[in-house]
Amino acid sequence: MKNILQTYTFSKLLTMSKSVLMICAWCTLISCGTKNEAETKVDSTHVENSVTLSAVQLKNAGISLGKIEQRSISSVLKVNGRIDVPPQNMISVSVPMGGYLKSTKLLPGMHLNKGEVIAVMEDQQYIQLQQDYLTAKARLNFTANEYQRQKELNQSKASSDKVFQQTEVDYTTEKINVKSLAERLELIGINPTKLDENTISKSINIYSPIDGYVSKVNVNIGKFTQPSEVLFELINPADIHLALTIFEKDLSKLSIGQKLVAYTNSQPDKKHECEIILIGKNLSAERSTEVHSHFEDYDKSLVPGMYMNAEIEIKNTNVYALPEEAIVRFQNNQYIFLAEVDKTYSIHEVKTGVLENGFIEIISGESLVDKMVVVKGAYNLLMTMKNKVEE
């Protein structure tokens, strides 16, 4: 009985060992198959450095050779900025003598015509100033007559020189007083030549000094304003311009009078032609400066502070370039083919720049000078090379 049990146990162990060996062998086969498949996949993406064509392949490939050349290629510099107004076109309106705001109709964004009444102010000091002027004017008439009378008396020696000189001083003093009061009246918008005892008013009108738009309204009806306080801010859009942010590396590409087109984010298809009028001479901490350009035709929909994009055409002279057909793309890289001996062509990676009129800039293209480049049929060479690798 013991011998039978031992024989059964040994047989069972032998069967288990065979199963383990079979499992290990199966895993090894799977591993090898996966490895070979991966290696095959890697090999299929490998590209040889050169390809040699047979006479038949060369005839069918339609290959033409040429040399890299220097050309003038334009590029577009894309920048952004905002609409700005020069300081001389921003008007701050205040009242030199202060006063209470009686009425106004201004709202931000409202259009104004030069000479239009934009506000009415009132204060008792306006009455006092008009009174002082008319009183001084009346005294001037009296002193003028007295001066003329004393002059005649002095000439006939009927009056002393001292009396005549005092009359002359009084007359000159009154002329100065009247003139200064007249200037103060004009400062607050009152015409002294039209002022008399019947036209004295407690109110004065504030007139728009420009044709433009209201930018800010800083007061309300009934508020007393000091002479230094700004009531309204106006903008004259006649000289509105676009201030662009240009980085240091691009400054050498720009010049006064250079043309550009600008557009807003909301209307990218609506182009506004501009001309560069000023290039900044100082750099910010970000190594940039402002370049100012003037709109050829001002659009009233453009308001100060609005952000805009701009495209500036840059003329790059004497860059190395090849026909666009000479460039082939493979696995996110760009290549060209160079002609070697015995119908052999080698592939070389290149970096490209601006494309214009069928020619593309080759960065660091001086290394290709005097080399024969495949300018036609490069794509056929790439396909032949890939087919060779896949075989």
Side-chain angles (χ1 to χ4, degrees), residues 271-291:
K271 307 294 184 182
H272 303 272
E273 295 184 358
C274 304
E275 178 182 334
I276 294 177
I277 59 174
L278 178 65
I279 299 176
K281 301 300 181 183
N282 60 314
L283 296 174
S284 66
E286 293 77 24
R287 312 304 297 171
S288 66
T289 189
E290 280 194 345
V291 171

Side-chain angles (χ1 to χ4, degrees), residues 71-87:
R71 296 180 65 91
S72 177
I73 296 181
S74 297
S75 61
V76 175
L77 177 63
K78 294 185 177 182
V79 296
N80 54 63
R82 58 181 177 81
I83 298 176
D84 198 6
V85 177

Side-chain angles (χ1 to χ4, degrees), residues 66-129:
K67 290 186 177 181
I68 194 169
E69 56 183 289
Q70 287 186 314
R71 296 180 65 91
S72 177
I73 296 181
S74 297
S75 61
V76 175
L77 177 63
K78 294 185 177 182
V79 296
N80 54 63
R82 58 181 177 81
I83 298 176
D84 198 6
V85 177
Q88 61 269 25
N89 284 47
M90 300 182 66
I91 312 297
S92 296
V93 179
S94 58
V95 180
M97 292 184 65
Y100 293 91
L101 179 62
K102 180 180 180 181
S103 64
T104 184
K105 62 178 182 179
L106 296 194
L107 292 172
M110 183 180 293
H111 181 267
L112 299 172
N113 296 315
K114 185 176 182 179
E116 179 182 347
V117 177
I118 59 177
V120 177
M121 307 290 296
E122 64 179 13
D123 196 87
Q124 62 180 3
Q125 58 183 327
Y126 306 151
I127 302 174
Q128 185 64 51
L129 179 59

Side-chain angles (χ1 to χ4, degrees), residues 63-67 322-327 337 373-378:
I63 292 174
S64 296
L65 302 179
K67 290 186 177 181
L322 285 170
E324 185 182 5
E325 192 177 350
I327 310 299
F337 283 93
V373 182
V374 176
V375 295
K376 286 186 179 181

Side-chain angles (χ1 to χ4, degrees), residues 142-151 159-173:
F142 172 78
T143 54
N145 293 331
E146 181 65 17
Y147 168 75
Q148 189 63 34
R149 190 175 70 84
Q150 290 296 332
K151 183 178 180 180
S159 175
S160 65
D161 292 341
K162 182 177 181 181
V163 173
F164 171 69
Q165 291 173 357
Q166 182 60 50
T167 304
E168 186 178 24
V169 169
D170 292 342
Y171 175 56
T172 303
T173 302

Side-chain angles (χ1 to χ4, degrees), residues 42 54 56 66 75 86 101 106 108 127 145 148 195 206 210 215 230 239 252 254 275 285 299 305 309 338 365 383:
V42 171
S54 64
V56 176
S75 61
L101 179 62
L106 296 194
I127 302 174
N145 293 331
Q148 189 63 34
L195 181 64
I206 307 299
I210 60 168
S215 175
V230 176
D239 195 27
S252 60
L254 306 182
E275 178 182 334
D299 187 340
N309 303 308
L338 299 181
M383 291 298 99

Side-chain angles (χ1 to χ4, degrees), residues 290-327:
E290 280 194 345
V291 171
H292 297 267
S293 58
H294 188 271
F295 289 95
E296 298 288 349
D297 295 310
Y298 173 63
D299 187 340
K300 293 183 178 180
S301 65
L302 303 177
V303 297
M306 180 181 291
Y307 285 94
M308 297 194 76
N309 303 308
E311 296 179 355
I312 309 173
E313 184 176 353
I314 306 297
K315 201 72 175 178
N316 296 323
T317 58
N318 297 328
V319 299
Y320 287 100
L322 285 170
E324 185 182 5
E325 192 177 350
I327 310 299

Side-chain angles (χ1 to χ4, degrees), residues 73 105 125 130 132 213 259 261 353 356:
I73 296 181
K105 62 178 182 179
Q125 58 183 327
Q130 294 170 82
D132 293 344
Y213 296 88
K259 305 294 184 180
V261 293
E356 183 185 47

